[in-house]
Structure formats: C-alpha cells, structure tokens
Amino acid sequence: MLSADDWGAIRLTLKLAGIVTLLLLVLGTPVAWWLSQTRSRARSVVGAVVALPLVLPPSVLGFYLLVAMGSNGPLGHLTQALGLGLLPFSFAGLVIGSLLYSMPFVIQPLQNAFEAIGPRPLEVAATLRASPLDTFFSVVLPLAKPGYMTAATLGFAHTVGEFGVVMMIGGNIPQQTRVVSVQIYGHVEAIEYAQAHWLSGGMLVTSFVALLLLYRFNPTRRAL
C-alpha cells in the first residue's frame, strides 16, 4: 500500500530525526548542564529561549528561519560567503529548523536529569581530586542516563512528527525535503485517504511504542 515516494519520505524522515537527535544530544548537553548549575541572571533568559518553541507556532518559527536563511538574511549572507549556497528548500535547512524546533524536548529533560543528581556526588568527586571534566564523564553522565534516554526518545519522536517548520523551510521536494508529515498532507490533498491512513497509522504506532518503551524501561519513570 506504500509507493516509492512514501518509502522515500520515510527514509528521509528517519535520517532527519536521527541526525537532529544526535546533534541535539551533543550540543544540548553543555547548555543543559549550564542551566542546571548556574546562578547567573541570564539563566532565565536562556531558559526562555530554549522553551520558546513549545509555545511559538511552528509557522512563525519557520517563517523567521526562512527569512534569516534567505538571500537577504544574515544567515543567508554567511552561507553564501562560505560558498555553501542558500539553505532554504534543502536537507541542511531542514536540519537547522528541526534543531531549533525540537530543542526543548532534548535540553529540558537533560537539565532535569542534571538537577536531580544534586551536589553531593560532585562534592565527593571533588574530595577525591577528580577534575571537573573527569567528574562530568565519570559521575554525571552515568547518573543522568535516564535523562538521556528520555531526551533521545522525545527528540526523535518530535522531529519525526514535525510539519509546520519543515513545510516552511523545506517545501515539498521528493527525496530532498519531503518528509512523512508532508507526504501525508499531500495524500490528503489528493483525497488519497488509504495511503494517508497507512502513513499516519505507522507514525501513530511508532510514537506510541517509543513512549511505551520509555515509560517501561526508564528506571526514573518506574520509580514514579
């Protein structure tokens, strides 16, 4: 019941979600750690910026990203000066938009996990003369493992389900920017409800299984 275009959209969506989730885990870790440890007045500002995609309409975020990455935008000027061309309607543009839109779904669980560790393990590591970097990798990361599981699951699932941002930035180019959500929209517009049902059902099952595994195997969730 799935066409070649449907499978292409599925592969592109999984590729996008995998890359975005990995990048957010790497880039979001220092941000989440800083938010969990700092007493700076800038903490509230940075926290608000991180959480902004939770309340901002995807079309608004997509519009401003489109303007910023366009030929007259600051990011567009930069990418053209570097010889990278323009990012709108490209896979790289989708990655950037998805990074920003899925940011709170990764950074906030990591921040909560770091805050839940408390100061005691860090103080013990300091008394053993462990460096801050060694403490982070030997103490903090193992204790924050449930938070990373939550962040990876939510970040991946949220990226898979994106529509507004990817539609604004990427459009509907087969094999390049047409992800599953856009493909479903196209099927509905063409009154191809059978194909839309197959793709929508697949996304529903995938999202449910991911959250079920998260709640089933996450020790913190079980304790609650």
Side-chain angles (χ1 to χ4, degrees):
M1 296 299 296
L2 296 179
S3 65
D5 285 342
D6 293 335
W7 285 112
I10 292 172
R11 287 191 294 269
L12 187 66
T13 302
L14 295 177
K15 177 183 176 182
L16 176 65
I19 292 174
V20 168
T21 302
L22 180 60
L23 288 176
L24 278 176
L25 289 174
V26 174
L27 300 176
T29 292
V31 177
W33 177 250
W34 182 84
L35 286 171
S36 68
Q37 302 299 310
T38 187
R39 295 183 179 178
S40 171
R41 292 182 178 180
R43 181 179 186 272
S44 59
V45 176
V46 176
V49 171
V50 169
L52 190 60
L54 292 174
V55 297
L56 193 66
S59 57
V60 173
L61 177 60
F63 169 71
Y64 282 115
L65 285 175
L66 187 62
V67 171
M69 295 189 297
S71 57
N72 295 320
L75 188 55
H77 286 305
L78 176 61
T79 56
Q80 290 182 94
L82 295 175
L84 301 176
L86 295 175
L87 296 178
F89 310 108
S90 69
F91 182 78
L94 288 186
V95 171
I96 293 176
S98 299
L99 282 173
L100 294 177
Y101 191 51
S102 295
M103 177 171 57
F105 292 87
V106 173
I107 293 181
Q108 288 187 346
L110 294 181
Q111 179 185 348
N112 293 336
F114 293 150
E115 291 175 347
I117 293 174
R120 181 61 178 169
L122 306 182
E123 294 171 354
V124 172
T127 61
L128 298 176
R129 297 184 179 180
S131 67
L133 192 62
D134 186 38
T135 299
F136 184 80
F137 283 100
S138 301
V139 178
V140 174
L141 285 186
L143 292 177
K145 183 179 178 181
Y148 275 90
M149 293 173 57
T150 301
T153 302
L154 294 180
F156 187 90
H158 187 257
T159 304
V160 166
E162 288 179 30
F163 176 73
V165 172
V166 296
M167 189 66 174
M168 291 288 290
I169 298 176
N172 188 13
I173 306 174
Q175 309 300 325
Q176 295 184 42
T177 63
R178 183 187 290 173
V179 294
V180 171
S181 57
V182 176
Q183 183 76 353
I184 293 172
Y185 180 77
H187 283 315
V188 173
E189 273 198 322
I191 319 180
E192 297 171 345
Y193 290 157
Q195 292 91 331
H197 273 304
W198 278 99
L199 289 176
S200 299
M203 291 187 68
L204 176 62
V205 171
T206 300
S207 300
F208 176 77
V209 170
L211 292 175
L212 180 64
L213 293 175
L214 174 65
Y215 277 84
R216 176 65 181 85
F217 294 107
N218 190 323
T220 303
R221 297 288 185 182
R222 290 204 303 269
L224 295 176

